[in-house]
Amino acid sequence: MNKTLLMVFIFFGIFFIDQAVKYAFVFHNWGVEGSCLSFQLAYNYGVAFSMFSFLKEYLKYIQLTLILIGIIYLYFNKEVLKEYSFSITLLLAGGLSNILDRFTYGAVVDYIYWHCGFEFAIFNLADMIINLAVAIIIYKQIWGKKEQKA
């Protein structure tokens, strides 16, 4: 299987799984209370930790614009796209899934709530995928440079 086809498969796999789970929470009342981890429906009108929620009506357009700018950048910097194709695929899948939530539900659908020892923000699969992509990029930036020097 060629790399581009694999990235398309990964993108749609993540995107559709995330959307299916969110749909189940919204329309089928999924939810489980646990001692450390709960799964409960919440709507996030802002971005991370509900920041910028005052922009809720405009965030979907701002985020789409940022993704478009990123795609234009990648078009002109194909070496970046080639080196970070997996991370970019993850970022786009998670980011576009959350943006679709804004158009579909008026906010991002969150459902994973960590509350063991401390309370953490409620998040979703797309958020975890985005964070994984950023961690991979940071790892490659730090340790990739060290390997090039050696």
Side-chain angles (χ1 to χ4, degrees), residues 9-24:
F9 181 74
I10 290 170
F11 172 88
F12 283 111
I14 291 168
F15 185 87
F16 287 126
I17 290 169
D18 185 58
Q19 284 298 305
V21 171
K22 290 173 179 177
Y23 182 90

Side-chain angles (χ1 to χ4, degrees), residues 125-143:
L125 175 64
D127 296 336
M128 292 188 301
I129 294 297
I130 291 166
N131 283 305
L132 174 62
V134 170
I136 292 169
I137 291 169
I138 291 170
Y139 177 84
K140 288 181 94 171
Q141 282 291 304
I142 293 171
W143 281 274

Side-chain angles (χ1 to χ4, degrees), residues 10 16 38 40 47 54 66 80 86 97 99 103 107 115-116 118-119 124 126 143 146:
I10 290 170
F16 287 126
S38 297
Q40 61 189 41
V47 292
F54 62 92
L66 291 172
V80 175
F86 181 67
S97 183
I99 291 171
F103 282 99
H115 51 86
C116 193
F118 62 94
E119 291 194 20
N124 61 41
W143 281 274
K146 288 181 181 178

Side-chain angles (χ1 to χ4, degrees), residues 42-53:
Y43 293 98
N44 183 353
Y45 297 94
V47 292
F49 305 104
S50 296
M51 291 185 300
F52 305 116
S53 58

Side-chain angles (χ1 to χ4, degrees), residues 14-150:
I14 291 168
F15 185 87
F16 287 126
I17 290 169
D18 185 58
Q19 284 298 305
V21 171
K22 290 173 179 177
Y23 182 90
F25 273 93
V26 172
F27 294 107
H28 296 292
N29 299 317
W30 277 13
V32 176
E33 279 294 320
S35 59
C36 283
L37 187 66
S38 297
F39 297 93
Q40 61 189 41
L41 176 63
Y43 293 98
N44 183 353
Y45 297 94
V47 292
F49 305 104
S50 296
M51 291 185 300
F52 305 116
S53 58
F54 62 92
L55 292 171
K56 66 181 171 184
E57 293 299 318
Y58 305 103
L59 275 174
K60 56 190 165 199
Y61 301 111
I62 293 168
Q63 290 173 324
L64 275 176
T65 302
L66 291 172
I67 285 178
L68 181 62
I69 290 168
I71 289 171
I72 292 168
Y73 171 82
L74 292 171
Y75 178 78
F76 290 107
N77 295 279
K78 289 183 177 41
E79 67 282 348
V80 175
L81 179 60
K82 185 177 178 181
E83 182 170 348
Y84 295 97
S85 61
F86 181 67
S87 299
I88 292 166
T89 299
L90 296 179
L91 281 172
L92 286 175
L96 289 173
S97 183
N98 280 344
I99 291 171
L100 180 60
D101 288 0
R102 292 187 189 284
F103 282 99
T104 307
Y105 307 112
V108 174
V109 175
D110 288 332
Y111 49 84
I112 303 169
Y113 176 45
W114 175 268
H115 51 86
C116 193
F118 62 94
E119 291 194 20
F120 193 70
I122 299 177
F123 53 98
N124 61 41
L125 175 64
D127 296 336
M128 292 188 301
I129 294 297
I130 291 166
N131 283 305
L132 174 62
V134 170
I136 292 169
I137 291 169
I138 291 170
Y139 177 84
K140 288 181 94 171
Q141 282 291 304
I142 293 171
W143 281 274
K145 301 253 191 245
K146 288 181 181 178
E147 289 174 7
Q148 287 176 350
K149 289 180 182 178

